[in-house]
Amino acid sequence: MSGPLHQFEVKPLINTPMTIGGYDFYFTNSSLFMVLAVLVSVLFVRFGMRSKSLIPGRMQSMVELTHDMVANLMKENIGDEGKKYFPFIFTLFIFVLFGNLLGMVPYGFTFTSHIIVTFALAFFIFVTVTIIAFVKHGTHFFRFFLPEGIPFYIIPIFVPIEIISYFTRPISLSVRLFANMLAGHTLIKVMAIFTISMGALGILPLLFNTLMIGFEIFVAVLQAYIFTLLSCLYLNDAVHMH
Amino acid sequence: MEKNSQDNQDKFAALKEKLKKLQPQKNARNFYDDDRKMLGIAARIGLEIVIALVVGVGIGYFLDKLFSTKPIFLLLFALFGIAAGVLNIYRLVKGNEYGSGYKNDDKKD
């Protein structure tokens, strides 16, 4: 019987690496599920919107609800200036959502349960948002760390705190998603092992796992939502500096 | 003209009545929205303090390596990290999220 952490193992699917610039790149199960997430999301939107009818069918409703949810989120948090960033945020949401949900499929691999993946996403957002802020506001961006009108004697305390607070963003964004997915999936596996090893009493962890699977699907959606919400908030700070 | 305005008034009254009936539904929906927001905050709050401390210690450690002044910056930035964590939580709970500066108070609403 494999351990509860066995499911997070990254293994190459094709044993011959691609060598680019002296580095070996393997196509792993993680890569496979990322590709799958992209394919599934493209299929979901394309297939859902194939008829483009005024009165939507079931699939079209799902696509439209997803779209409206993200659009409303952006409207609430950024306002009309946020409209041009919609493709970026929507892509992000749907990629993380399908990444989380594909991990709930039996024998699936959850690529969002690896900190390097979520950190790459979060760092990309962080850099993009910082660049947007710089392009929009120039050196006024540094007002972020030093608001007008603070007394000069708290500047040496205030500025480092603000800088730390700013650099917290990519880390808390990535750790939150990664920790939630890792913890949930591990707990499910541990309970599954209990079910087998406890014999007749195994019915108890089995019942717990039944609830847990439902909860995990909820967490998968919630974490994708929170990831998107926070990206929107960061973007809002970048667009509307004060 | 007379008749038209009378018609409009009737329409207006009817709409008002309809709105009154729908108001509780709207309130209920707001409550749900608030609930969702609170859930979001609850899921995030625990992490903030730890992460800010880790970032602070990281920056301190890096600066110490740079100037070989172990452990002055480490201690200093650990304190700053704790302060940043508390600040983040304060802003999160107040609904300012991560926005920095004093003037955020009038940003929302």
Side-chain angles (χ1 to χ4, degrees):
Chain A
M1 191 159 46
S2 49
L5 295 177
H6 176 76
Q7 54 175 327
F8 302 119
E9 214 171 284
V10 178
K11 10 182 202 290
L13 296 178
I14 302 166
N15 275 321
T16 42
M18 263 191 308
T19 311
I20 302 169
Y23 290 97
D24 286 349
F25 290 94
Y26 287 96
F27 190 81
T28 61
N29 49 356
S30 185
S31 338
L32 174 71
F33 271 85
M34 281 183 220
V35 173
L36 272 180
V38 173
L39 283 181
V40 170
S41 40
V42 170
L43 268 179
F44 171 66
V45 176
R46 281 278 155 193
F47 182 73
M49 295 309 288
R50 73 197 182 287
S51 57
K52 295 196 185 69
S53 50
L54 191 61
I55 300 158
R58 252 168 285 175
M59 278 307 280
Q60 197 181 334
S61 289
M62 276 165 74
V63 179
E64 283 181 7
L65 279 172
T66 319
H67 170 277
D68 287 359
M69 199 217 78
V70 179
N72 282 333
L73 198 68
M74 295 195 70
K75 207 172 156 195
E76 271 172 38
N77 289 304
I78 311 178
D80 284 338
E81 294 94 326
K83 268 183 189 156
K84 60 180 165 190
Y85 304 112
F86 178 79
F88 172 51
I89 298 287
F90 186 74
T91 310
L92 208 65
F93 173 70
I94 215 145
F95 182 67
V96 174
L97 179 70
F98 278 111
N100 290 349
L101 288 179
L102 280 176
M104 293 308 297
V105 176
Y107 296 99
F109 179 86
T110 331
F111 61 79
T112 45
S113 68
H114 282 263
I115 185 129
I116 193 67
V117 176
T118 57
F119 186 73
L121 280 172
F123 193 71
F124 175 67
I125 294 163
F126 179 72
V127 171
T128 313
V129 163
T130 309
I131 288 173
I132 289 171
F134 251 115
V135 168
K136 276 215 160 218
H137 304 279
T139 50
H140 187 71
F141 171 72
F142 290 109
R143 280 268 163 235
F144 212 75
F145 306 117
L146 186 63
E148 273 167 87
I150 66 167
F152 66 93
Y153 48 83
I154 42 172
I155 287 177
I157 306 173
F158 194 84
V159 172
I161 291 177
E162 283 296 352
I163 290 174
I164 291 173
S165 174
Y166 190 70
F167 279 99
T168 314
R169 289 171 166 193
I171 299 179
S172 78
L173 191 60
S174 55
V175 169
R176 185 174 310 109
L177 179 59
F178 138 81
N180 272 288
M181 300 321 288
L182 186 81
H185 281 74
T186 311
L187 188 58
I188 286 181
K189 262 292 161 62
V190 168
M191 285 296 151
I193 290 171
F194 281 169
T195 308
I196 296 168
S197 61
M198 277 167 73
L201 268 177
I203 189 84
L204 293 173
L206 185 67
L207 283 176
F208 178 78
N209 242 359
T210 316
L211 296 175
M212 201 52 211
I213 295 273
F215 183 69
E216 264 302 288
I217 291 173
F218 165 72
V219 168
V221 178
L222 181 75
Q223 288 304 323
Y225 171 78
I226 289 176
F227 199 85
T228 322
L229 173 73
L230 286 179
S231 310
C232 282
L233 292 170
Y234 299 159
L235 205 53
N236 175 48
D237 275 348
V239 174
H240 299 128
M241 294 255 327
H242 31 84
Chain B
M1 194 66 197
E2 263 314 275
K3 192 173 173 288
N4 208 350
S5 90
Q6 183 62 36
D7 258 15
N8 273 347
Q9 233 151 51
D10 282 357
K11 237 183 200 166
F12 187 62
L15 272 176
K16 225 176 184 174
E17 199 67 27
K18 213 172 170 184
L19 256 178
K20 216 182 217 167
K21 258 188 213 152
L22 286 174
Q23 198 61 40
Q25 264 183 47
K26 198 187 156 211
N27 287 346
R29 192 133 116 240
N30 277 346
F31 180 73
Y32 169 74
D33 276 358
D34 276 358
D35 239 24
R36 199 175 55 178
K37 229 169 241 168
M38 291 316 283
L39 200 65
I41 288 177
R44 288 158 47 190
I45 209 158
L47 210 68
E48 295 299 336
I49 266 193
V50 184
I51 299 287
L53 180 61
V54 168
V55 173
V57 167
I59 292 177
Y61 186 77
F62 171 75
L63 285 179
D64 271 342
K65 274 247 157 128
L66 203 66
F67 302 120
S68 50
T69 49
K70 218 171 173 181
I72 298 167
F73 281 113
L74 187 72
L75 291 173
L76 197 65
F77 273 83
L79 290 179
F80 283 147
I82 293 168
V86 174
L87 186 71
N88 277 351
I89 299 228
Y90 174 73
R91 282 187 182 143
L92 192 70
V93 173
K94 259 186 88 187
N96 281 347
E97 298 300 341
Y98 289 84
S100 69
Y102 291 164
K103 298 191 172 164
N104 261 22
D105 287 353
D106 45 22
K107 197 178 79 183
K108 297 251 156 120
D109 299 315

